[in-house]
Amino acid sequence: DGGITQSPKYLFRKEGQNVTLSCEQNLNHDAMYWYRQDPGQGLRLIYYSQIVNDFQKGDIAEGYSVSREKKESFPLTVTSAQKNPTAFYLCASSIEHRAYGYTFGSGTRLTVV
Amino acid sequence: GENVEQHPSTLSVQEGDSAVIKCTYSDSASNYFPWYKQELGKRPQLIIDIRSNVGEKKDQRIAVTLNKTAKHFSLHITETQPEDSAVYFCAANTQTGANNLFFGTGTRLTVIP
């Protein structure tokens, strides 16, 4: 699946629940990213991580949390504090935190029910 | 931070015609400009990119031009085919702080057979 795997493909969340989206890569990339995609708004950066045990907020980090305990994994938790979580979430990775050659996962579509 | 604007938001062309999508950016320090193609429900895939030390780059039917003075860059697709129908995103990196990619809002290209 192109070296970066997101799961699940579809996720449904009830109001007030936290949910965690998985992102795993076997490309030996140092940097990983989470983007949110809404119709007509392009891709907006939620969080990014340059190295293990370090991560930084992007433009729309409120209501989200991440961890980077392993180089291969960068899970995203959508908390109940995120008021409008329904969206398509994309994970990406790149070598040495350069903007060159992003590889994207296939995405997770989260719906609040 | 960087601000990337993309036009048009939708574009319909007859098969065989050319398509042009334009983007502007705000950060004069940006030096990397990729274009991604996203088919319905799939991940964005890099189709071409350009660095600031060149003004044009071609790859078969796809070309990208960059005008650093005016801070705009464009994607040109010639001899369009139905399989070119997708959403196209431009992006620019930022050298301010973290070297992340900022994306335009996307152009939905429809090639009419």
Side-chain angles (χ1 to χ4, degrees), chain A residues 16-66:
Chain A
Q17 276 186 338
N18 293 354
V19 290
T20 297
L21 284 59
S22 171
C23 179
E24 303 276 335
Q25 53 100 359
N26 61 5
L27 301 166
N28 200 32
H29 284 174
D30 293 300
M32 297 186 74
Y33 313 83
W34 275 105
Y35 284 88
R36 171 179 171 143
Q37 186 174 23
D38 296 282
Q41 294 196 48
L43 282 69
R44 293 182 291 166
L45 182 64
I46 304 172
Y47 268 99
Y48 64 96
S49 169
Q50 302 179 50
I51 56 172
V52 175
N53 293 322
D54 183 65
F55 48 83
Q56 305 295 330
K57 293 182 179 180
D59 299 319
I60 57 165
E62 185 176 352
Y64 300 97
S65 66
V66 294

Side-chain angles (χ1 to χ4, degrees), chain B residues 90-102:
Chain B
C90 62
N93 70 335
T94 175
Q95 301 285 359
T96 305
N99 191 16
N100 296 323
L101 282 179
F102 286 81

